[in-house]
Amino acid sequence: MKLNVGGQIYYSTRSTLSKSLYIKSLLSNDRPNHIIDGAIFIDRDGHLFEFVLSFMRTNIMSHATDYLRIIAGMKFYQLEQFMVQIKDNADVDENKTKLRNKIKFFD
């Protein structure tokens, strides 16, 4: 399936895209009015969608510099069911950082 998100073109399968309740609702319409030039058009940040789509494909949050924007994107695409996993991963990373800061190295 072809998507145009904020002017950036993406391709993915229906099953991957259907993980987003928002996109799934767009796909369920018989004649969606959001089709432009053969692509489902979503008026959102195209760069951000790269991270959202990657997560939908792999269930792994890639290292991104703008965590809060990604969380906002996940909420928009109605992927709240995965938010717990993202938070758990963030907590693990935070705990690793705390642990590393507590470890003292001896020569």
Side-chain angles (χ1 to χ4, degrees):
M1 306 207 72
K2 182 178 177 182
L3 288 90
N4 176 341
V5 182
Q8 293 188 12
I9 303 298
Y10 293 94
Y11 294 91
S12 190
T13 64
R14 178 180 283 271
S15 63
T16 294
L17 296 174
S18 292
K19 291 178 182 179
S20 161
L21 298 178
Y22 174 78
I23 295 174
K24 187 176 184 176
S25 73
L26 295 179
L27 297 174
S28 68
N29 293 333
D30 292 334
R31 291 189 179 172
N33 60 359
H34 49 272
I35 301 291
I36 299 175
D37 296 328
I40 297 171
F41 179 74
I42 302 173
D43 189 18
R44 298 296 284 191
D45 183 340
H47 175 70
L48 174 64
F49 186 72
E50 177 182 341
F51 298 106
V52 173
L53 181 58
S54 176
F55 182 80
M56 286 191 292
R57 287 175 172 156
T58 65
N59 289 333
I60 298 170
M61 175 60 84
S62 62
H63 297 288
T65 58
D66 203 341
Y67 181 76
L68 294 178
R69 285 182 59 215
I70 291 173
I71 295 301
M74 299 294 271
K75 287 181 181 178
F76 174 81
Y77 291 106
Q78 299 176 6
L79 289 161
E80 282 92 352
Q81 69 271 29
F82 299 109
M83 299 292 285
V84 172
Q85 180 181 347
I86 293 169
K87 184 185 178 313
D88 289 347
N89 289 341
D91 289 344
V92 167
D93 288 342
E94 182 179 333
N95 288 335
K96 284 181 186 176
T97 300
K98 287 179 183 176
L99 182 60
R100 276 195 301 266
N101 291 338
K102 289 181 180 179
I103 296 174
K104 296 187 181 198
F105 294 94
F106 300 97
D107 291 330

